[in-house]
Structures are given as structure tokens and as C-alpha cells.
Amino acid sequence: MSYEGAWMSGLRPRSTPTVAAASPEPAVQWARRVAGDGPVDWAVEHAYEFALHVLQEIPELDGTGGRTRMVRVGAEACVLQVLMLLFDDRSDVEMPDEQEQVVRDCVHRKVPLDRLFSAIRNTHAWVTRIFMDACIELAPPSQQVAELRRISSITLAVFDRYTERADVAYRAEAERWFAGDQATREELVQTLLTRDDADTDRISQRLRYPVTGRNHLGVVAWREAGTDAADDLAEAAAAWLRAAGAAEVLVLNRAESAVWAWGATPSPPRSVPTDWTHSGGVRIGHGTWHPGLQGFRLTHREARSAEHVAHLCPRIDSRVVDYRGVDLLAVLLENPERAKEFAVRELGPLAADDERSRELRETIRHYLELCSPKAVAERMFLARGTVAYRLRQAEQALERSLSERRLQLWTALVLADAIPPVPAER
């Protein structure tokens, strides 16, 4: 790194704890060796925030509108490559494999090429802006003009190369995809999911999966953030469904990082596996058993909601995510940004991500659920005086009685316990 670029060593994330990287661990560690922990954590945090924006701009990449690992990895790849080039401009400019995966998935989800190019242009503008803003904040005034030019030059070179590679990768994948059986299977499944006039008998024969006269259990399987395993997601999803009691299984590869699957049986079991483990960081989000074509659709929506919540809430770290355990969060987090804004507005200073605020939030939530300081003390193994003191502190911080807006307050506490902390302004 040149002396002029020394300001980048001062890059630091705004949130504590830091946002966990979604990229494979070897890629993150290589970036840390080049740029250091602080700058890499800063890049990962900004990539996470931008990934949410991308998913809103291109909802085809995630029907729930939430964060997916694939988009996060793609955003991180962009920021980390620019970061490493700014630290060492002798590196080659290449599109990372993770970014090519995003391009291939755009083909699978029928995102037009012009919309992909628009997203690349928007990403270019965003990456340039966050580095320029940081330069203006951290670099000595005498160096800023030269550094801003260097940022502009490097980001332009990176995204020119990305655009060229994206064009080639998109056209090659489109030719392969639409010539194969996968596109036909996806078209048939989409017909079942969206058209009320679907010929279920004909489609069942072609998919070799019975729809009518069966109960269905929907699954989404994906790779855990930071893993780079070669395990087959389709096999993992099918194995879990059979363990759950499915007699027939339908699996649809949605991307290299996720699959949709359904299991069918005439009479559904009363329970599904909850302690299932699978090597390679595979996770499962599943719905509940429902009958017929409408059940095929409903359980799929539930499974996608379970996956959506698991991606948004790092504290939900179980390998198997049951929709029934996160159904309230699924509703509350339909719009993640508005949910965060609501929680911060309702909790005020208690939304802070520090130990004391977490203690007070936990105490308030128990109190709202139990309506008794004595019961709260017994549940939390605390002295009644400690509970009473915390409740008084909470009311002082909120500047109102805990009896006011009880439902809104409890909802904000549920959100604060689930979603990542909102970064404080620098």
C-alpha cells in the first residue's frame, strides 16, 4: 500500500458486534491478510446493507424481498476486490467466482440482461460513493484529490471488467439453461405455484410427483454463510424430506446456493426431524404439511418465509428452521428496513446493542408476558429488587410507563432480539 493510501487502515465498521461475512472463509481471510480486519469488516457491513437494496431493486432474486447469501456474497466480492486493489494496485482485475454465480442465478430467475447491467451500474456508483465518502472523512486534505482519482480509476476498471464478464457468463448460462431439462421442470413447477387452471394430472406425470390426493411438505435448502462445501444440496433436501416421512420427493435446483423441494405422502406424520445434522453447512427451512394443490403452494410459501427469517436473523442459527417457530417474525419482517425503523423508534435508547440495554430488554419482555415482577424474578433467577430496579430504569429510558403501548413495545422487543443491531451514526 502506498503512503498516500494509508488512510484506508482507519476504515472501521459502525456496528458492534460486526456483521458476519457471507463469503467463503478462504476469500475473507485472504482479504484480511491484504487489508486488515477493520477495513474488511467495514466492507462486509456496507455490502450487507447494499444487498438489501439490491433485493428490493431485483425482487426476482428473492421472492420474499429479504437478504440471501448469494446476493450478499456477490456484493462482498465487489467491495473486497476494490478494497484490495486500493491497498495493492498490482493485483489483476477479475470477476470473482461468487459474482459469476450471481449472474448465473439471474438467468435461472429470468432477470433480463439489461436489468442486470443496470444493477452493475448502480453497484459501481454505490461502491465508488462509499469509498469516496470514507476518503473525504479519513484522508488528509492534501491527499484527497489524488486518492479520489485513484478510487475512480480502480472502480471503473473493476466494473468495466465485471460488465464484460457478466455479458459472456449470462449468455453462456442462458444457452445452457434453456436447452436443458431444468428449465422445463421449473416452468412446470411455476405453473403449479401460480396458475389456478394448471393441469395438475399432466404436470404430475411429467414431474413424476403426485400433487392431488397427497399432503405436501415444502423445503428450502441452502448453504450456511461462509461455507464452501461441495455437498449436493438436492440430495440433502431429499434426505431430510424422507426422514420427515415423505414417500415421494420433488427437488428443483434454483441456484448453486439453494434448492426448493417438496415431499408428498397420503397421511402426514405428526412431527418432523428437528435434530437433523448434515456436513457441509447445509441448512433447511421448512413449512408444514398441507393437502392438495393449495397445500403444495402454501407449504412452499412457509418454507421460503422460514429461509427468509433465517437469513435476516443471525441469532436463529439452528440447522432446521421450522416455519411454525418463526411465523410471527416472518410477518413482522416482510419489510426488514421498516421493521428496524419501528424497533428503534419504539425502544429509543434501549435499542442500543450493549449488555445493559440487552438486560433491560429481556427484563421488559418477560414482564410484559408475565405481568408480575415476582414471576419475572423467578424466571430470570433474579432478586425481586433487581427486577423492580430494571423496570424503573426502562421506564426512565423510554420516558413512559411500561403499561403504555404494550403491544407495540413487545413487538419491538421481539424484533430487537432477532434482527442485527442498527449501526449507530458515525
Side-chain angles (χ1 to χ4, degrees):
M1 179 181 66
S2 65
Y3 174 78
E4 289 76 10
W7 61 270
M8 290 188 300
S9 297
L11 294 170
R12 293 293 183 272
R14 292 170 292 173
S15 61
T16 304
T18 57
V19 177
S23 300
E25 187 62 22
V28 177
Q29 290 303 320
W30 174 252
R32 292 189 188 281
R33 285 195 293 271
V34 173
D37 290 341
V40 170
D41 290 337
W42 172 88
V44 168
E45 179 183 82
H46 279 81
Y48 166 76
E49 295 171 358
F50 187 68
L52 295 179
H53 172 72
V54 170
L55 290 168
Q56 291 176 348
E57 291 295 313
I58 310 180
E60 295 93 336
L61 290 177
D62 187 303
T64 61
R67 175 185 70 183
T68 66
R69 175 179 178 264
M70 178 204 63
V71 178
R72 283 194 60 200
V73 169
E76 285 178 12
C78 293
V79 189
L80 290 176
Q81 180 156 50
V82 171
L83 180 70
M84 288 190 290
L85 285 167
L86 286 168
F87 270 89
D88 182 3
D89 56 12
R90 295 169 297 179
S91 303
D92 293 330
V93 176
E94 289 294 338
M95 174 181 280
D97 293 340
E98 297 82 7
Q99 197 66 14
E100 283 204 18
Q101 181 178 319
V102 175
V103 173
R104 290 193 294 270
D105 202 59
C106 285
V107 175
H108 304 169
R109 307 209 180 186
K110 298 183 174 62
V111 177
L113 185 58
D114 60 342
R115 289 189 65 194
L116 174 61
F117 285 160
S118 176
I120 292 175
R121 289 192 298 270
N122 290 340
T123 306
H124 178 195
W126 166 74
V127 171
T128 303
R129 178 179 57 80
I130 64 171
F131 278 100
M132 285 186 169
D133 287 349
C135 176
I136 292 170
E137 179 180 348
L138 298 175
S142 62
Q143 300 172 11
Q144 287 182 7
V145 172
E147 286 298 280
L148 291 172
R149 287 174 178 166
R150 196 163 71 96
I151 291 169
S152 178
S153 175
I154 287 177
T155 55
L156 181 61
V158 167
F159 283 93
D160 274 353
R161 183 59 173 158
Y162 278 13
T163 301
E164 293 174 7
R165 290 285 299 275
D167 187 28
V168 173
Y170 186 98
R171 296 180 190 280
E173 184 66 12
E175 183 177 351
R176 185 198 68 80
W177 177 262
F178 292 110
D181 181 61
Q182 178 66 23
T184 300
R185 287 170 59 82
E186 180 175 351
E187 192 70 32
L188 292 172
V189 169
Q190 289 294 346
T191 299
L192 289 175
L193 291 174
T194 60
R195 292 182 56 178
D196 291 333
D197 62 346
D199 186 343
T200 54
D201 291 338
R202 181 185 65 85
I203 294 175
S204 292
Q205 290 179 355
R206 295 190 65 182
L207 292 175
R208 298 181 181 179
Y209 178 85
V211 177
T212 58
R214 294 292 192 276
N215 289 272
H216 302 280
L217 180 63
V219 158
V220 175
W222 72 96
R223 299 198 190 283
E224 197 171 44
T227 61
D228 191 23
D231 299 68
D232 192 302
L233 283 173
E235 291 182 4
W240 187 88
L241 282 166
R242 292 191 180 98
E248 296 96 1
V249 172
L250 169 64
V251 178
L252 183 68
N253 288 298
R254 288 292 294 170
E256 295 179 20
S257 57
V259 302
W260 293 352
W262 290 260
T265 184
S267 301
R270 293 186 176 182
S271 61
V272 296
T274 58
D275 57 352
W276 180 81
T277 58
H278 189 281
S279 62
V282 176
R283 298 182 70 188
I284 295 287
H286 70 87
T288 52
W289 291 100
H290 295 288
L293 176 60
Q294 295 304 319
F296 180 88
R297 296 170 176 175
L298 177 56
T299 192
H300 174 64
R301 290 197 298 270
E302 292 175 344
R304 297 197 69 189
S305 292
E307 178 209 16
H308 173 52
V309 172
H311 280 306
L312 284 172
C313 305
R315 295 183 178 97
I316 298 176
D317 57 1
S318 56
R319 287 294 180 90
V320 178
V321 183
D322 186 340
Y323 173 75
R324 291 171 298 182
V326 297
D327 50 0
L328 176 60
L329 280 173
V331 174
L332 296 176
L333 293 172
E334 279 291 326
N335 188 315
E337 292 308 306
R338 290 190 64 184
K340 287 184 180 182
E341 291 168 1
F342 168 81
V344 171
R345 183 176 65 250
E346 194 66 30
L347 295 175
L350 294 183
D353 190 54
D354 56 66
E355 184 176 357
R356 186 57 178 166
S357 297
R358 287 192 292 271
E359 285 181 349
L360 293 179
R361 290 199 301 267
E362 181 183 14
T363 306
I364 300 168
R365 182 171 174 178
H366 288 315
Y367 175 71
L368 293 175
E369 293 170 355
L370 299 173
C371 301
S372 166
K374 179 182 177 182
V376 173
E378 291 173 354
R379 176 182 283 186
M380 299 184 69
F381 302 101
L382 295 173
R384 291 180 63 180
T386 301
V387 172
Y389 176 68
R390 288 185 182 180
L391 295 177
R392 287 195 301 271
Q393 281 196 311
E395 289 185 329
Q396 291 173 2
L398 293 171
E399 298 182 345
R400 70 173 191 266
S401 169
L402 297 179
S403 63
E404 298 180 30
R405 295 176 60 84
R406 291 173 63 94
L407 177 59
Q408 291 90 339
L409 179 56
W410 181 84
T411 302
L413 292 168
V414 170
L415 289 169
D417 186 51
I419 58 181
V422 178
E425 292 297 326
R426 289 194 289 185

